Each structure stands twice: as structure tokens, then as C-alpha cells.
Amino acid sequence: MENPQGTAGPAVDETVNSNSFNRGVIEEFRANGGWVKDFGSVPLLLLSTTGRVSGLTRTTPLVHLARDGRWIVFAANGGAAVAPGWYRNLVAAGEGVVEVGSRRFAVRPEPVAESEHEELWRLQTEQDPNFATFRSKTDRTIPVVALVPVGDAG
């Protein structure tokens, strides 16, 4: 991928993310300080987790809400019947690494209280209308997770 200055970012290996679209997003994100053209003003972060089975580091681009020093993410998996791998890995490990812009720091997951879910879904759907259909596609409750910086990272 090329950034606005025309320099290519480093290639992302398939072991980091098996989805070719996501690998392109990761490359562009890192080459452009967190900005990805196709997402415009929708805020993205990169979440790296350790695979609970493979032990490999996996990185996933996620749309998020920044709120009260936390980054809120939704384990929607596009409305699939199962939670995404990043969520299962994050919960199993109890920690991950987030990249926001050019910053990189450790985080721990905290489930968001159900009393906050409706407001957070409303805000998330306002910034990314794709989220409007995710809950109606599945019978499972989609986890809403706060990524909380560990130490002085926030």
C-alpha cells in the first residue's frame, strides 16, 4: 500500500492476519500513522493478541469508540453466530497490544456493563452505519469490551 507521500509500508505476513483485506488495512494504517483511506474519518485501531491455540501473535483492525481513556470495541464478527477470534484470544490471554495512530501500548480487556450497551451501540452505529445490522444477524449477545491501557500508556 502507498501512503499519501508515496512510500510503501512494510508487507504484513499471512500469519499476522489471514484475511488479505485486513492485511492491506494493517499495512496502510502503519504507513500512514493510523489513517486508512477507505475508512475516512471512522476511527480504527489495531489490536494484537496471542492466539490461544497457536501461540502466534495476530493483529486485527477494529473500528472503535474512544471514551473516558478507554477504547471500546464490539465483538460483532459481522453478526456471525460465533465471537471473533480476536475476542476469544483477548479474553483467554487477559491482555493485548493496541496501536492507535502511531502510539502502541499494552491493554487489558474489561467487559462493559450492560447498562452502557445501548448508548455505545447508538454511538458506534452513528460513526459506522455497518454496525446497525450486526445484532439482528445473530442470536448471541455481542460482547462490548473496553480496552484499558496498562500502566502509563493511556
Side-chain angles (χ1 to χ4, degrees):
M1 295 267 157
E2 290 195 4
N3 67 21
Q5 290 76 37
T7 58
V12 174
D13 187 273
E14 275 188 33
T15 61
V16 171
N17 192 298
S18 61
N19 180 294
S20 62
F21 175 80
N22 283 349
R23 286 194 310 274
V25 170
I26 293 165
E27 289 173 14
E28 188 174 349
F29 182 101
R30 289 178 173 159
N32 296 304
W35 187 80
V36 177
K37 182 179 180 181
D38 288 346
F39 285 82
S41 63
V42 175
L44 289 180
L45 60 77
L46 300 182
L47 174 64
S48 295
T49 57
T50 301
R52 66 200 179 289
V53 175
S54 70
L56 297 173
T57 299
R58 308 287 189 189
T59 300
T60 305
L62 298 171
V63 174
H64 71 279
L65 291 170
R67 191 169 172 101
D68 302 324
R70 310 174 301 167
W71 287 264
I72 309 298
V73 293
F74 299 75
N77 205 14
V82 296
W86 66 260
Y87 171 75
R88 296 188 310 258
N89 291 338
L90 180 66
V91 170
E95 63 184 4
V97 174
V98 162
E99 295 172 59
V100 176
S102 58
R103 296 172 43 215
R104 181 179 169 94
F105 49 91
V107 294
R108 63 182 167 75
E110 282 186 0
V112 172
E114 286 194 37
S115 61
E116 294 181 65
H117 284 203
E118 287 307 314
E119 175 66 3
L120 294 172
W121 273 98
R122 184 187 68 72
L123 293 168
Q124 185 75 338
T125 301
E126 281 179 9
Q127 77 175 5
D128 185 346
N130 294 313
F131 278 77
T133 62
F134 293 161
R135 290 195 291 181
S136 65
K137 290 181 179 181
T138 186
D139 291 331
R140 71 180 172 92
T141 299
I142 295 173
V144 180
V145 181
L147 302 175
V148 179
V150 175
D152 298 329

